[in-house]
Amino acid sequence: MTLLRAAAATAARRGARSAELDLDRLRADFPALEREHDGRRQVYLDSAASSQTPRAVLDAMSRYYLEQRANVHRGDYALAFEATLAYEAARDRIARFLGAPDRRGVVFTRGTTEALNLVAHAWGRRHLGPGDEVLLTVAEHHSNLVPWQLAARARGATLRFLPLTEEGELDLSALDRLLTRRTRLLAVTGMSNVLGARVPLAALVSAARSVGARVLVDAAQLALHERIDLAGLGADFLALSGHKLLGPTGIGVLAARPERLEEMDPFLAGGEMVDDVTLEGATWNELPYRFEAGTPPIAEAIGLGAALDYLEGIGFAAIRAREAALTRHGLALLDAGRGVRLLGPRDPARRAPVFSFSVVDASGDPIHPHDLATLLGAEGVAVRAGHQCARPLLRELGLSAVTRASCAFYTSLAELDALAAAIDHARTFFSRPRARG
Amino acid sequence: MLDELYQDLILDHHRRPRNKRPCPACSCRAEGANALCGDSLVVGVSLDGERIASVSFEGQGCAISQASASMMTEAVQGLSVADALALGGELRALLRGEAPARDLGDLQSLEGIARFPVRIKCALLPWTTLEHALAPPAAREERR
């Protein structure tokens, strides 16, 4: 433990010199980062699974529950007006954040998964048919794969997959072969939750558009790491989750070109999404409400809006600089000398500080990711072990599970040092001589 | 806390698994997997009437699942099918944190796992697979 503390102190000094943000002050905004584990500060390296939430988000959500608590879009009283205004202001906030030109294209969902299912179901049902193809990549999260498997099965369409290069990046040289006049849609992750590799979205979008295909970007991982400019990018659909973007759980966004949404029937049906209803049928409400059946997650939408305020207060320039420092530090620590095999590109410019890896113990035997994660967890280092909801990708890489340590801009270099020290400890733990049972 | 989970006996079974070998001729076989972890194993049993004459396993997984499989093969050797299934029930109770009515031998060393809820399924994978190997398909339907 002394080892960990010494490593942390060294890195804290180094971090104070290199980071432009006042990290201590910034981290104080995130109550959960203060949590202790066995008398030491907890080390949170699972931000790709769920980011931590700044107090400003909780305050905005509390304000709704304490002062503005009413349903939205109905009610002829002040509370209902205020709730509606706050909810719709969050939509404008998100449109601004994403560079979406039209608020009618910003649909609140429960998360990325629901947004992707919405498109696969409502757009796929209308636009996919026998002989049509959807191009995905082998690096997709299950939530941008399984909905398309179901849609393809229902509509007689075929799925194609862009492969990876040896370095763990998308192999764009295969685009010529895979993008054809049969391709109706390119559905691609903006950043793999496993590899951390940056994705050349602009090149992908323009290639897809040149054959007349629509483009969907799964931005669940991307959104915390890079500024998104939807209009500039020219994608048709983009999905993201609030809880990976400093916001609360239970809220996500589908941002789309309104003309795409106009040509789709609703996904979920119920209140709010209709215009007129008779016993025989219904007509649809205007956008975006056609895709928001039922009472929405109001507090969560407001919380997400506050999260984006917070994020833009920091600014993506500062975030990129912090992440570059974290990436370089992580790459230096997670190397073969430590028994670590790291996935994804080694060039810091080509990746975010999301590190998936396998580890061998001091005798050279592999440590199972769940054993490793349990050992790290016992030392207060929170990482994720398993297939990371990307089994096809891991199979492609010849692995059944990996350990992932993922950072956000609030992660400190000292936390990565603590990870390295805990890995060293685990390697000794599993290879040290034992009494016979 | 860690030493409670990874007791010496568990690590020993992990490093030197007992009865880890293929058993193509076994009369009862089943495959089991924890997709989330990527763990998978095959349990093979040879029965002599209602008695377990030999049991072996193969496959890959974390230290907990491998050690639990190894211990299981030793613990159920020579038991009747009913006693082996009952022993599995006693292990499940132990992993729920319940005090066992009797000494469970090497299996007792798995009790620390009760404090690591996400790892319980690792320890149970070999036992679930054994149950599938022993239970004829009809009986399995009923149990569901």
Side-chain angles (χ1 to χ4, degrees), chain A residues 132-214:
Chain A
D132 288 343
E133 295 181 0
V134 176
L135 180 59
L136 309 169
T137 81
V138 296
E140 297 312 310
H141 188 281
H142 292 164
S143 59
N144 194 33
L145 169 61
V146 182
W148 296 111
Q149 291 173 342
L150 291 176
R153 193 189 302 166
R155 306 295 305 161
T158 305
L159 303 184
R160 303 258 177 240
F161 298 94
L162 196 61
L164 294 180
T165 63
E166 289 288 314
E167 263 242 88
E169 293 174 287
L170 295 180
D171 183 0
L172 300 191
S173 71
L175 273 181
D176 274 352
R177 177 169 55 84
L178 291 168
L179 271 178
T180 69
R181 289 276 157 203
R182 289 187 299 278
T183 312
R184 294 278 88 82
L185 179 78
L186 168 70
V188 61
T189 179
M191 179 176 287
S192 157
N193 65 314
V194 178
L195 301 167
R198 298 191 187 275
V199 172
L201 280 177
L204 285 165
V205 172
S206 91
R209 289 175 72 88
S210 72
V211 298
R214 306 297 185 205

Side-chain angles (χ1 to χ4, degrees), chain A residues 368 370-371 374 430 434 436, chain B residues 6 8 11 15 39 63 119:
Chain A
H368 191 283
H370 274 287
D371 291 323
T374 299
F430 276 108
R434 291 271 168 164
R436 294 288 284 267
Chain B
Y6 293 104
D8 286 354
L11 287 175
R15 291 216 188 86
D39 292 358
R119 304 304 301 279

Side-chain angles (χ1 to χ4, degrees), chain A residues 231-304:
Chain A
L233 188 61
D236 295 276
F237 302 101
L238 183 139
L240 59 78
S241 289
H243 75 97
K244 293 190 200 287
L245 197 53
L246 312 187
T249 57
I251 186 77
V253 173
L254 173 68
R257 287 171 185 266
E259 59 267 33
R260 290 292 92 74
L261 297 178
E262 289 287 6
E263 61 195 26
M264 288 155 53
D265 280 333
F267 172 48
L268 300 174
E272 183 68 23
M273 48 73 66
V274 285
D275 179 22
D276 189 21
V277 183
T278 65
L279 289 178
E280 290 74 35
T283 53
W284 312 138
N285 197 347
E286 60 181 6
L287 296 179
Y289 310 107
R290 184 189 301 177
F291 295 98
E292 292 184 359
T295 293
I298 302 166
E300 288 76 6
I302 292 168
L304 177 55

Side-chain angles (χ1 to χ4, degrees), chain A residues 88-98 304-313:
Chain A
E88 291 300 332
R91 192 189 311 278
D92 291 327
R93 188 72 196 80
I94 288 153
R96 251 191 352 268
F97 179 82
L98 293 175
L304 177 55
L308 302 186
D309 282 339
Y310 182 89
L311 206 54
E312 294 205 322

Side-chain angles (χ1 to χ4, degrees), chain B residues 10-63:
Chain B
I10 294 178
L11 287 175
D12 183 60
H13 273 272
H14 165 51
R15 291 216 188 86
R16 303 186 303 115
R18 330 293 200 255
N19 303 306
K20 185 172 181 176
R21 55 170 187 269
C23 182
C26 281
S27 47
C28 310
R29 278 163 63 85
E31 289 176 31
N34 278 336
L36 180 67
C37 330
D39 292 358
S40 65
L41 53 81
V42 175
V43 172
V45 184
S46 288
L47 288 179
D48 175 11
E50 265 299 291
R51 203 151 291 279
I52 293 175
S54 82
V55 55
S56 62
F57 78 103
E58 55 184 320
Q60 52 157 0
C62 64

